[in-house]
Every structure is written in structure tokens, then in C-alpha cells.
Amino acid sequence: MPKSWTDEAQEPVVKKDHAHLKDPFIYKVKSFFLGTPLNRHSLESQRLSKRSAFGILSSDCISSSAYGGEQILVALIPAFGLAAFTIFPPMVGVILVMLMAITLLYRDVISTYTRSGSAYIVCKDNFGRVISQIAAVELMFGYIITVAIQSAAGVAAIISTFPELNSLKVQMTIIIVILLTYINLHGVKEAGFVFVLPSYLFMGSMFLVFLFGIYRYFTNTLPVYDSTTVGLVPIGQAQGLLSFAAFLYLLKAFANGSASLTGIEAVSDSVPLFRNPQHSNAKKILTFMSLALGTLIIGIAWLAKQTQAIPYEDGTPTVISLVAKAALGEGVVGSSLFLLTQLGTMLILFAGANTCFNAFPNMVNMVANDGFLPRRLTQRGHKLVFSNGVFFIAGLASLLVIVTGASITILAAIYALAVFIGFALTGAGMTKKSMSTQNLNSKLRVGVHAFATLLASFTVIVLSIVKFAEGTWIIVIGTPLIVLLMLKFNNQYAREQDALSVKQHQERATSISRHDVAVLVDSVDIATVGAIRYARSLNPRHLVAVHFVIDDRRAADIQRAWAASAALDDVTLELIDCPDRRLANSALDYAIRMTQKPDVELTLLLPRRAYSGSLSRLLHDQTAEEIAAPISQLSRVVATIVPFDVDRIISFSKLTTPRQPQSVGKVAEPEKVTKKPSVSVSTEPVSHYAENVTPIDKIKWRKRARVQGHVTSIKSAPRGSAPTLEVEIWDKTGGVSLHFLGRREIAGLAVGSQMRAEGMVGEEEGSMVILNPSYELLV
């Protein structure tokens, strides 16, 4: 055969793509709805700028202002009547103090846990696995309920403008959840672009409402709503604040108002989504978000007090729509701005639900990576999002909407309890962390964290007691049950990991002196011949074919066909009785007998005819899998299924294979050569530097080339051999191997990296290689 260094040799070729499987139907459906799949190396491009991050992550938090104040009035007015508007401002002041404490707490969380600062990470670091799972469960509850409550509140904003749609509230909410799911399956960045505008539109429209309201207040044109309007919540009688009943009503109002602070944790849960420097950008967004939330709470509360906007019993129209209409007036300009405000309110509430579709999958990905949730939740989908996490939150949120009838009051109580348990655990963890740190600010940090922990813990107790019958029982009872289930998942994963771990006595594979191969035969056909051919390639000491006899006539037919086949004349056929027709038992017994001696290893090959289509699967059994399962439990026995695609032969289909060029340049034809031809020698000097990057399919054998592409594979020599490193890079035209002698790694090189290399083009086994090139890693 001609060698590459002789003149008669064929020129080597660059690497080309080979076979490609036909896209399955489900993949075509995903591509149709979601577009072209993203390459995993483009993950960095999905990181969020500060402007996009604010639009995506703050919407949950600032949208809470749309219903938090209203929920306080829902609790106060039936107990204290119109005197509730006097109690309202101090209650809002307490909420603002809590906002400040929790914001400072989560700024420290982001600074301390710079990569991801969720309550789960804080508790895992400071309290261990059980407490961290409680935090994880509360985070999951919080995010799931957020999708339900924000979607329901957004639909309520629509119904406030179009009351005739009230009977379709649940159906509309489910449609919104489905729409959010579809948008988020398109990728984090794409979802961000959709929901950046609502955050700024809502804040801008609400600041206009505040400006109009302030102007009308000072000009004495701000209207006051009639307290006798039909449909309002029951208006109670004024009473003193020192009775036990009054104290309980105040606690209930405080519990309702705490819903205004939900969503603050979303930024710390989503630090990995930010561009670098991640923790610095996350802290800036958290601060700006809290300032915006505080401003909105104050403005809406002040207007509600001045206009005496009493909530309606069925939740629509909402208080925020009442104060907007009062502030903007009834004129053409006012009506237009009111519709704009309602549009902003609706969109920000839907955007708040969307926040959870970003934060929840990232959070459950962390928990699943630790083995407390199914590992399926760690898989990225078509657009590099954790799509299983997206489906998980969408399904449970839809179920919650149906069960609660899309009631904001019921959802708000459950929501607040889950979130404040997370706040309390985070505060406790950060308090412990700060106490172990010795610096000038540690005492101040301990004080701030302890204060936030006390406020959050007090809120948890109030919500658990006062709102138990209204829905918080789900959290109180459900949390320990789900934690136990997650711990069971973790124990199962731990047992599996221990079973698969390499023990010290197994670190070096022992040499088996006798390796036998048996092919289990059920018929004599091309699948059996293929399995025998593969068996010969294993170089066994003994090769035998085995048929377990469950039908004497069939066994005789196989024996005659075996004897008549020239392809099988060197392989012994052994017939073994199987009187009870349990093939798995007979195969297991055979394997045990064949490996009684400790120096024998047995490989059982099971030809499997692969059929596609429902009819084919109905007509054929899955015996190979049934036999392989018990065999795999034996030591020194390996059961290997050798698949053979019958459907491919029936349909005459084959894998798509592009035409492979014979060479890049002109190819000599040795069979036509009668004497050694003259060699055309180039008069150009051999260059040691190639100025321009050459497409890989244009590089020339025995010429110097400069190429650039992304790294698709890295192969390093084993520790016991001479150090070498083979790197394969590809561009749009083809691929080439780079061989580095004397090294096993290159610092900073990883699969997916961009690399530029220059060197002399050589050959190995018909493919072009560049030996010991100079290189540059590209960022």
C-alpha cells in the first residue's frame, strides 16, 4: 500500500461530517415552535445585562405593590370600618421597615455567596441537609404560588377594565400560564426582551398617577369614593385597638400586607443569570428594585387613604385601578392614561409571574445536582433553559389556580408564608455566618441579620396561626412531607453512588486469563451472523453459540440451518434444554456454570432485532432485555445486546452520508503508473509563517497553514504512556487534528473553546494533522 512519504501516495483529506440521524417527529415539533436550538457554547450570550435583569427579575417584587396594600385594607375595613384608613399608614410603615431589613440581608447574602445566594445555599452552608431542604421546599412553594397569584392578579386587572369577563377568570389565568411557559421555553434572553418593557411601563405610569394625584390633592379636586357602593367588602364599626379581637385583626392585616415584600429573593436566587461581575450587578439591581418597591407602596397607600378606595368583595375592580381612576380623572387624557396604567399593571403582574420561570428552574437545578430532586431537572432544553423545571412550575401553578379558583386573597396568604419562612431561614443562616466572621462590621451585620430574622419569624408565626384555615395549612402540613420525600431521593442517590463508586481494591483492573464468548441464538439469520462476526473480533478463548430448547421442532430447524451455513461452520452450536420455558433462568444458570472457575470471564451476546412502529412492537417481544437484566448481576459475566435494525432493511433507508472527497488537491493514480514519475518541485521557499487564516478544507498537505475553529474533542494520552495531546478543531468547512507532543494538557483549553493554530500540515491514517503547532486561545 502506498505510504504518505512516497510520491505514489494519495493526498490525505480533512475531516468531514459523516452520518446524521433523521430528526424524530418530536424534535421537528420543538424546532417548529421554538426555532433553531441553541448551541451550549452560546450559553454566555444568554447572560443578562443590568437593564434586562431589572426587567425580568424585579417585576415579581415591584408588582407585589399592586395588591399588597389592598390586602391590608381587606383585613382592616371589616374590623374597624372607615377608621381603617387611619390605621393603614402605620401598618404600611411597618412593612417598609421590614423591606429595608430584608434588602440589607439579601445584599449581604449576594456579597457572601457570590455565585448563587438563595436561601437553600445559605442553609446548606450553615445548617446542613435537613434545614436546607426546608428552605428549598419553601422556595419551590413560593415560586409556584407566585406564578399563580401574579397571573390571577394580572387577569384581575383586565377584568377591572372589562367586568363582563369575570366569569372567565380561571380559564384566562390558565391561558396566561401556558403563554408564559411557551415564551420561557424560547430562552432566558428572549423572555427578558419580552418583559423588560412592562417593568418600566408600570413604574412610569404609576409615577404619572402619583403626580396627577398630588396635583389634584393640592387643588382639592381629588375625589373620595362613596362607601355605600354595592359590592364593597363589609364595612365594620370602629372599635378600640386594645381588645384581643382588635389585636387579632391587626395581626391579620399585617399578615396580608407582608405579601408586598414577596419577590425580593428572586435576585439572589438568580445571580448566575447576570453578566460579570455577577454579584456586583445583582446587588445594584436588588437596591434599585427595593427603592422602586418602597416608592410604589407609599404612593399607592397614600392615594388609597386620600380617596378612601375600599376593596371590592370579589376583588374587581382592584384598589390600584380605583386610585388610578381617581387621580387621572374622567377626561379624554385621563381615560387614556388610565387605560395605559391598567395595561402597565396587567403586564407587570404577568412579568412578575415570568420572573419565577427564570429563578425556579435555576434553583431546582441546584437542589437536583445535590441529589434531593430528580436529576432530570438539571437537563437543559432546546434553548438552553432548564425546560423540565419550566414544565414543573407551570403544571403545579395551573393546578393551584384551578383549586383556588384564582382567588388572590387565598393565594396571597400561602404565598407570604412560604416566602417568609425562606426569609427567616436566610436571616438565621447569615446571622450564624456573621458571628463566625471577625471584622469591624461583623457586629453590625449580626444585628441587622438578627433583626431581619426576628421580623420574618414573627411574620411566619402570625401567618401560620391567623391564616391556617384560609390556606396556609398547605405549607404547614405539606413542608415536612415533601422534605421527607426529598431526603428519600437523596438517600437513594447516595446508595446508587456508593454502589457505583470504585473501591480501592477495584482501582486497577485485574487480568482475566480466560475469556469465553457465547452467542445466544434464536434463529439463523443475518442478525445472528452479525453477532458471530462481532464475537470473533473479541478474540475469545472459546466461542460457542447456545440455543435454549423450548420447541423441539424449532431447535431441529436451527440445527439444520446452522450446519448448512458457510458463515458459521467454525462455531459450535450447543442446544440446552429449557423445560419450564423460562429463558432468563436458563441463561442465568448457564452463565453461573461457565464461570465457576475464578479465572474465567464470560461475555453473552444477545442479538436483538430492532423494530420500529407500534405494529412491529406488538408483533415482537423484548426477550433480550429480560435475559440481560439478571445476567448483569453476576460478577465476571457481561451481557451485551447486539442490535440489528430490521426496519431499516424493510424500508431500504440508510443514514445520510455526505460525499467524501478523495483529496483536497490532485490525486495520483498509482495503478496507471508504469515508472516512477518525475516530481514537480516548487521553487517557492518554504514559509514558516502563514499570514492569513485558511479555511480548513483549503489547507494543503506538506504546506504550512494557519487555521481557526472551535475545539470539538480533546484526547490525552494515558498516565502510563508518553505524554501526547490530540486536539480536533472544526470550522464551517471541515476539521483537522492538532498533535502536541510532550504534554497532556493546555491551560485554559476546553471543549467548545475557540482556537487558532499554525504549523506544517502532515498526515496520519489518511487524515490531515498539524504537528506541534503554535497556537492561540481566543476569547
Side-chain angles (χ1 to χ4, degrees), residues 73 76 81-91 305:
L73 292 174
L76 290 179
L82 295 180
F85 288 103
T86 305
I87 307 170
F88 189 37
M91 189 68 69
K305 180 179 183 299

Side-chain angles (χ1 to χ4, degrees), residues 332-346:
V332 175
V333 175
S335 298
S336 300
L337 290 176
F338 173 72
L339 290 175
L340 181 66
T341 302
Q342 287 300 96
L343 176 64
T345 303
M346 176 194 71

Side-chain angles (χ1 to χ4, degrees), residues 705-755:
R706 193 181 194 202
V707 296
Q708 179 178 322
H710 69 277
V711 177
T712 60
S713 73
I714 301 173
K715 181 165 66 174
S716 180
R719 188 170 58 184
S721 63
T724 58
L725 181 69
E726 297 179 21
V727 179
E728 193 171 296
I729 66 170
W730 284 70
D731 64 10
K732 294 181 180 179
T733 65
V736 66
S737 289
L738 312 177
H739 289 197
F740 298 89
L741 305 181
R743 63 196 311 172
R744 287 193 173 88
E745 62 180 355
I746 294 176
L749 181 68
V751 173
S753 303
Q754 286 287 325
M755 188 177 192

Side-chain angles (χ1 to χ4, degrees), residues 38 41-48 189 275:
L38 290 178
H41 305 303
S42 63
L43 182 61
E44 188 62 32
S45 68
Q46 295 292 296
R47 307 296 184 192
L48 301 178
K189 197 170 184 179
R275 289 179 182 171

Side-chain angles (χ1 to χ4, degrees), residues 551-570:
D551 184 324
D552 293 324
R553 182 175 297 177
R554 181 178 179 82
D557 291 341
I558 290 174
Q559 196 170 21
R560 282 193 296 271
W562 195 272
S565 174
L568 307 172
D569 57 5
D570 62 333

Side-chain angles (χ1 to χ4, degrees), residues 341-450:
T341 302
Q342 287 300 96
L343 176 64
T345 303
M346 176 194 71
L347 292 178
I348 191 65
L349 288 164
F350 293 154
N354 176 74
T355 300
C356 301
F357 280 96
N358 293 284
F360 178 87
N362 281 284
M363 191 275 297
V364 296
N365 167 58
M366 290 187 292
V367 180
N369 270 317
D370 290 338
F372 292 96
L373 285 173
R375 292 277 164 79
R376 288 178 177 270
L377 295 172
T378 65
Q379 299 171 356
R380 293 188 182 272
H382 205 69
K383 291 290 187 176
L384 296 180
V385 297
F386 298 107
S387 50
N388 288 331
V390 172
F391 287 122
F392 185 20
I393 188 173
L396 291 179
S398 299
L399 179 63
L400 199 58
V401 167
I402 295 171
V403 170
T404 62
S407 170
I408 297 174
T409 302
I410 296 174
L411 291 169
I414 309 172
Y415 180 27
L417 178 58
V419 170
F420 272 87
I421 291 175
F423 287 166
L425 292 174
T426 303
M430 290 303 296
T431 302
K432 181 181 178 182
K433 187 81 172 179
S434 300
M435 291 175 67
S436 63
T437 305
Q438 299 297 325
N439 56 51
L440 295 176
N441 295 326
S442 60
K443 291 185 178 179
L444 177 61
R445 291 178 184 274
V446 168
V448 171
H449 298 161

Side-chain angles (χ1 to χ4, degrees), residues 447-696:
V448 171
H449 298 161
F451 178 64
T453 304
L454 289 174
L455 286 177
S457 300
F458 175 73
T459 307
V460 168
I461 295 171
V462 171
L463 285 167
S464 301
I465 297 173
V466 175
K467 294 282 189 174
F468 186 85
E470 296 181 26
T472 58
W473 63 268
I474 296 175
I475 305 295
V476 176
I477 298 174
T479 296
L481 297 177
I482 297 177
V483 168
L484 289 175
L485 180 62
M486 292 170 69
L487 292 175
K488 186 174 181 179
F489 287 160
N490 185 250
N491 291 335
Q492 178 64 22
Y493 276 128
R495 284 193 295 268
E496 293 172 358
Q497 185 64 34
D498 181 66
L500 294 172
S501 63
V502 180
K503 308 300 188 293
Q504 186 173 4
H505 67 278
Q506 298 171 327
E507 287 185 351
R508 191 161 187 85
T510 57
S511 176
I512 301 295
S513 60
R514 299 170 61 188
H515 176 216
D516 297 336
V517 175
V519 181
L520 302 190
V521 175
D522 187 48
S523 62
V524 180
D525 54 19
I526 193 171
T528 301
V529 172
I532 293 294
R533 186 184 302 119
Y534 172 65
R536 292 192 185 103
S537 70
L538 299 178
N539 296 321
R541 186 179 69 97
H542 291 306
L543 171 59
V544 63
V546 175
H547 173 69
F548 295 107
V549 180
I550 57 177
D551 184 324
D552 293 324
R553 182 175 297 177
R554 181 178 179 82
D557 291 341
I558 290 174
Q559 196 170 21
R560 282 193 296 271
W562 195 272
S565 174
L568 307 172
D569 57 5
D570 62 333
V571 180
T572 301
L573 175 64
E574 182 177 359
L575 303 180
I576 298 178
D577 189 22
C578 182
D580 58 1
R581 297 174 303 285
R582 292 192 294 174
L583 294 176
N585 280 5
S586 296
L588 187 66
D589 181 63
Y590 173 79
I592 293 173
R593 286 189 287 106
M594 293 298 102
T595 56
Q596 287 181 344
K597 295 183 178 180
D599 62 341
V600 174
E601 183 177 62
L602 178 65
T603 296
L604 287 179
L605 299 184
L606 295 89
R608 184 186 66 183
R609 289 88 180 156
Y611 305 92
S612 61
S614 302
L615 179 60
S616 296
R617 283 191 289 269
L618 176 66
L619 296 176
H620 304 281
D621 58 21
Q622 301 294 322
T623 309
E625 285 80 0
E626 296 173 4
I627 295 175
I631 294 296
S632 63
Q633 301 175 29
L634 298 177
S635 61
R636 294 181 289 109
V637 180
V638 176
T640 302
I641 294 175
V642 183
F644 191 83
D645 192 349
V646 178
D647 188 66
R648 180 175 58 85
I649 298 178
I650 295 173
S651 60
F652 299 100
S653 63
K654 59 176 66 177
L655 295 177
T656 304
T657 308
R659 172 175 278 179
Q660 186 77 294
Q662 289 298 313
S663 69
V664 177
K666 184 179 179 181
V667 180
E669 299 181 4
E671 65 275 10
K672 295 182 180 181
V673 176
T674 56
K675 64 178 181 178
K676 185 174 181 179
S678 60
V679 181
S680 175
V681 181
S682 174
T683 58
E684 296 179 4
V686 177
S687 171
H688 293 281
Y689 177 72
E691 182 66 31
N692 299 317
V693 173
T694 305
I696 290 178

